[in-house]
Amino acid sequence: MSVRRSLVIGTVGLATVLAAQTTALALPSADSAGAQAAAAARPPGAIVEGSLRALASTTGLRIGTAVNTDLLGEDAAYTEIVNREFNTITPENVMKWEVVEPQQGVFDFTGADEIVKSAQANGQLVRGHTLVWHSQLPAWMATNGGTTTTLTDQQVKDAVKKHVQAEAGRYKGRIWAWDVVNEAFNEDGTPRQSIFYKAWGNSTDYIADAFRWADQADPSAKLFYNDYNIEYTGPKSQAVYDLVKKLKAQKVPIDGVGFQTHLSTQYGFPDLQATMQRFADLGLDVAETEVDVRTAVKPGATEGTFTSEPLSALHAYTQQAYWDQTMKACLFVQRCVSYTVWGVADSNSWIPGVFPGEGAALLFDDDYQAKPEYTVISQDLALAAGKARHRTGEGSGGR
Ligand code: XIL
């Protein structure tokens, strides 16, 4: 419960810090020395006026970023942005199965512990990511992209139960929201043929079991189903809708649905607000959990390499328009409890590695300078100040 207690202290402290240090806490420069000096000059968890987290807190919306332990606490400019701008953090990789249980029954929570500790010190909540996912599984558990295994069905079931209990249990009371199950459906709305689906006898019943085990291990965490491309109306979004509706009807402990929101300007903007509202109307919280907006970028000096510079001014402008709409969609849905961007700077985004030729997908450039995208979403937050508050920060009490 210490997280929630420090949250309250953080909120009370906000007014004091803002009143006392309004001018002293102007946005600092991004260079390393400047970042270190800025961080050293204020108490951990103090809120900087004009930062995204200060603006978001006036609406009750939680604003977050994905973080990696090779940079958090190691790179001063990166760390300064994480702690100044965001009031939730999501481990980008270190809570995934291959990291926390590399060998069966052998757990390594070093990185995960680091992130939870850093969040507590900086007045941030943690979105746990993720307990049951076909990807980034350890080799003892699965091969072929999470579709085959050497284990028997019963062994898979036992391993999932043990894993969920061990990880959710370790952080009991310290995780605000868990992505309990990630990416269980194909684009055409059929269930993904993962080792979990197969072990449960070609059934999605593993999803309900995972939520029940997570709830038993950490009753105060909000429990989310999380997926990509469900922002768009279509068979996949509908399949997830049908699933969560059924889970609610069966009284399975689910609190919300996460829309990853990995967008590219080469596709049309999704009907995100209407879709999130539709899910919210089922009595669920919703969240944008992994927002980035990639676009075509200019080639680099060497063949096959790319810069983080959008191909044209139109590409850049389209990105800004998309960011604006992702934020407005969340602001207009009262049950949209949090908005998380998938990484800090273009230089540490996952996009260039996975979508060659696309990039520039985040709010800060390669040198940690805020981009126009940052300004766009901060203006949206400022415009929303004082409007109806988002339903947030309550754990699973409202389930
Ligand atoms: C990605 C990370 O960003 C990369 O660093 C890693 O190599 C692969 O996974 N959907 C998810 C995230 O739920 O966990 C993925 O994160 C991106 C897609």
Side-chain angles (χ1 to χ4, degrees):
M1 286 302 102
S2 57
V3 169
R4 291 191 230 303
R5 199 169 304 125
S6 68
L7 167 65
V8 175
I9 292 163
T11 316
V12 173
L14 167 65
T16 325
V17 171
L18 287 183
Q21 308 187 40
T22 308
T23 43
L25 293 177
L27 291 184
S29 71
D31 65 88
S32 185
Q36 264 161 2
R42 66 169 188 274
I47 314 292
V48 176
E49 191 187 18
S51 63
L52 297 177
R53 69 186 284 185
L55 293 168
S57 70
T58 69
T59 68
L61 177 67
R62 286 267 158 188
I63 183 142
T65 185
V67 292
N68 272 311
T69 43
D70 57 339
L71 294 167
L72 189 67
E74 304 294 325
D75 181 312
Y78 176 98
T79 308
E80 162 62 10
I81 291 173
V82 169
N83 295 332
R84 186 184 67 218
E85 299 295 337
F86 301 101
N87 57 18
T88 78
I89 55 178
T90 305
E92 187 169 346
N93 287 299
V94 295
M95 282 190 176
K96 291 174 179 172
W97 199 322
E98 68 177 4
V99 178
V100 301
E101 198 182 357
Q103 285 151 42
Q104 187 158 18
V106 180
F107 291 90
D108 180 357
F109 289 110
T110 318
D113 284 357
E114 236 179 82
I115 285 181
V116 172
K117 198 170 151 213
S118 175
Q120 281 182 325
N122 290 286
Q124 296 158 325
L125 300 183
V126 179
R127 293 200 85 263
H129 177 80
T130 171
L131 295 172
V132 179
W133 186 30
H134 67 280
S135 190
Q136 291 182 275
L137 287 172
W140 62 265
M141 183 78 191
T143 43
N144 294 316
T147 59
T148 55
T149 180
T150 54
L151 305 180
T152 64
D153 289 351
Q154 193 54 49
Q155 284 170 332
V156 171
K157 287 182 165 182
D158 292 345
V160 172
K161 182 173 185 184
K162 197 171 164 202
H163 175 78
V164 170
Q165 287 176 335
E167 187 161 9
R170 180 177 183 89
Y171 298 107
K172 183 176 178 186
R174 292 186 288 162
I175 299 290
W176 176 48
W178 265 113
D179 289 332
V180 178
V181 176
N182 198 29
E183 304 182 352
F185 289 90
N186 297 313
E187 293 306 305
D188 65 1
T190 56
R192 189 186 291 279
Q193 312 282 297
S194 65
I195 57 165
F196 313 119
Y197 179 77
K198 290 173 183 168
W200 263 257
N202 292 332
S203 147
T204 53
D205 287 350
Y206 72 91
I207 299 175
D209 281 341
F211 275 87
R212 290 191 188 103
W213 291 329
D215 182 50
Q216 284 159 15
D218 187 357
S220 67
K222 281 179 183 283
L223 304 182
F224 275 71
Y225 175 84
N226 192 53
D227 215 329
Y228 64 95
N229 277 354
I230 56 169
E231 302 83 15
Y232 295 84
T233 301
K236 185 174 188 177
S237 191
Q238 186 61 39
V240 173
Y241 182 89
D242 293 342
L243 166 84
V244 297
K245 190 173 174 190
K246 191 174 91 187
L247 294 178
K248 284 287 281 185
Q250 295 172 340
K251 305 264 183 280
V252 173
I254 179 171
D255 298 293
V257 174
F259 296 74
Q260 292 184 8
T261 322
H262 292 293
L263 302 181
S264 168
T265 61
Q266 66 179 306
Y267 309 116
F269 190 83
D271 38 358
L272 182 55
Q273 184 188 330
T275 307
M276 287 200 295
Q277 188 60 57
R278 189 164 170 252
F279 279 77
D281 290 344
L282 290 173
L284 291 163
D285 287 341
V286 293
E288 291 178 48
T289 52
E290 306 183 14
V291 184
D292 51 21
V293 181
R294 59 190 192 268
T295 197
V297 285
K298 290 182 179 162
T302 331
E303 171 95 41
T305 64
F306 292 92
T307 66
S308 295
E309 230 187 295
L311 212 47
S312 73
L314 182 59
H315 286 80
Y317 180 75
T318 308
Q319 287 181 292
Q320 292 161 36
Y322 276 36
W323 278 98
D324 174 45
Q325 292 180 81
T326 59
M327 179 53 86
K328 284 200 176 112
C330 186
L331 288 169
F332 279 123
V333 177
Q334 215 204 328
R335 292 199 72 151
C336 184
V337 296
S338 78
Y339 179 101
T340 297
V341 302
W342 204 242
V344 174
D346 289 343
S347 45
N348 36 68
S349 162
W350 73 305
I351 294 294
V354 177
F355 303 94
E358 289 185 280
L362 292 173
L363 301 175
F364 292 83
D365 70 14
D366 289 347
D367 302 316
Y368 294 115
Q369 300 296 324
K371 292 161 55 178
E373 287 85 338
Y374 172 95
T375 310
V376 162
I377 66 163
S378 65
Q379 284 171 344
D380 286 339
L381 288 169
L383 285 169
K387 301 287 185 314
R389 285 182 71 79
H390 288 255
R391 187 180 170 284
T392 187
E394 300 162 5
S396 60
R399 185 186 294 152

